[in-house]
Amino acid sequence: MKLPRALWRCARLLGHVLHGLWVVTLRFPRMSQEQQYIRVQSWSQQLLACAGISLRVQGTPPVRGPVMLVANHISWLDIPVMHAARHCCFISKSDVQGWPLIGTLATAGGTLYIERTSRRDAMRMVRTMQEALQRNEVLGVFPEGTTGDGRAMLPFHANLLQAAVAADAPVVPVGLRFVDKATGATSFAPSYIGDETLLGSIWRTLSAPAIEAVVTYGEPEASQGRDRREWATHLQAVVDQLRQQQG
């Protein structure tokens, strides 16, 4: 049963991705930015369905910017999951840009890339993010900087929070979790850590029983005079609580 299920999902997913590439290549240039964002959200919702993943949203997504969403990072699925819940422009590590198919679609979805090992590039990205927030954009970041195993969170890097401080924009903490729908237990099938390959993680996800992606939004908050490091520590604790919150 597992192999036929995985093959069926794989065929649907590949067809959906190829259709997405056609849309961003031929139709996106004629769409307004708002139309593009709506299309990305709809496409992401359909992608999850193709992969056998349902979506549950807890809390209230922000209606408009300027706002920065900060979330824990588990999987290659995190970006489409958050797009499906509420479109945002992601700040992602530069590696994602080179991922086959996914990189092209992530770029079309408004993702901005940062070379995390370069201090100069981090400073450039903070300025770019500040300008985006001043244009009332909704930004999404994974302050852990890389994917974790879904059991314990990694420390939050504070650098990118400087953009919210400089733009005086609120931050909304977001907890992500994948759940086995049959048992209600956390599913680690979509995890993508360490030496795992992207294709291996995708195949394990497609082979798994039905999964539910749970996105839990916290309350927006301002820096309130805290420096970015203090704020990052606080936000990590809030996100840790949100990702374990039961609906």
Side-chain angles (χ1 to χ4, degrees):
M1 181 64 183
K2 181 185 291 187
L3 182 59
R5 176 173 60 209
L7 290 174
W8 170 240
R9 289 176 177 171
C10 185
R12 293 182 65 200
L13 189 63
L14 181 58
H16 186 61
V17 168
L18 293 176
H19 180 259
L21 291 173
W22 177 81
V23 170
V24 300
T25 301
L26 299 180
R27 299 190 63 184
F28 260 38
R30 300 194 298 272
M31 293 182 183
S32 68
Q33 186 179 72
E34 185 63 26
Q35 289 172 326
Q36 291 177 2
Y37 289 173
I38 292 172
R39 191 61 183 260
V40 169
Q41 182 174 13
S42 174
W43 182 89
S44 298
Q45 292 168 347
Q46 294 169 32
L47 179 142
L48 296 182
C50 290
I53 299 172
S54 59
L55 177 68
R56 173 157 49 108
V57 177
Q58 301 181 148
T60 305
V63 176
R64 62 182 62 84
V67 65
M68 182 186 294
L69 309 178
V70 298
N72 57 307
H73 201 7
I74 307 168
S75 170
W76 55 276
L77 271 172
D78 293 346
I79 289 179
V81 164
M82 289 190 67
H83 274 324
R86 202 287 179 212
H87 178 272
C88 56
C89 295
F90 274 98
I91 315 303
S92 185
K93 60 183 181 180
S94 56
D95 307 36
V96 173
Q97 191 171 15
W99 287 359
L101 303 181
I102 293 176
T104 301
L105 293 168
T107 300
T111 300
L112 304 173
Y113 300 102
I114 180 173
E115 178 55 60
R116 293 190 183 273
T117 59
S118 169
R119 181 178 177 83
R120 178 177 297 179
D121 198 51
M123 294 173 62
R124 174 195 63 82
M125 182 54 68
V126 167
R127 289 193 300 271
T128 300
M129 292 170 63
Q130 180 182 347
E131 292 166 359
L133 289 169
Q134 290 168 342
R135 296 193 303 268
N136 296 328
E137 294 278 7
V138 178
L139 302 183
V141 301
F142 300 117
E144 290 170 287
T146 188
T147 50
D149 62 6
R151 294 173 174 85
M153 287 178 56
L154 301 172
F156 273 15
H157 296 287
N159 290 351
L160 298 183
L161 286 176
Q162 183 59 40
V165 173
D168 193 25
V171 167
V172 172
V174 183
L176 301 180
R177 183 180 178 220
F178 293 98
V179 176
D180 185 315
K181 292 192 70 173
T183 66
T186 297
S187 172
F188 299 102
S191 66
Y192 178 43
I193 58 172
D195 296 329
E196 289 183 327
T197 64
L198 177 60
L199 289 178
S201 177
I202 292 173
W203 182 255
R204 186 174 61 243
T205 303
L206 298 180
S207 302
I211 294 172
E212 182 177 56
V214 183
V215 183
T216 305
Y217 291 90
E219 295 297 321
E221 59 176 73
S223 63
Q224 297 178 326
R226 292 170 290 196
D227 66 34
R228 65 191 187 194
R229 291 179 179 82
E230 181 184 0
W231 200 11
T233 300
H234 166 74
L235 287 167
Q236 180 191 12
V238 176
V239 170
D240 197 18
Q241 292 177 342
L242 291 172
R243 74 187 181 95
Q244 301 178 67
Q245 185 172 308
Q246 303 295 320

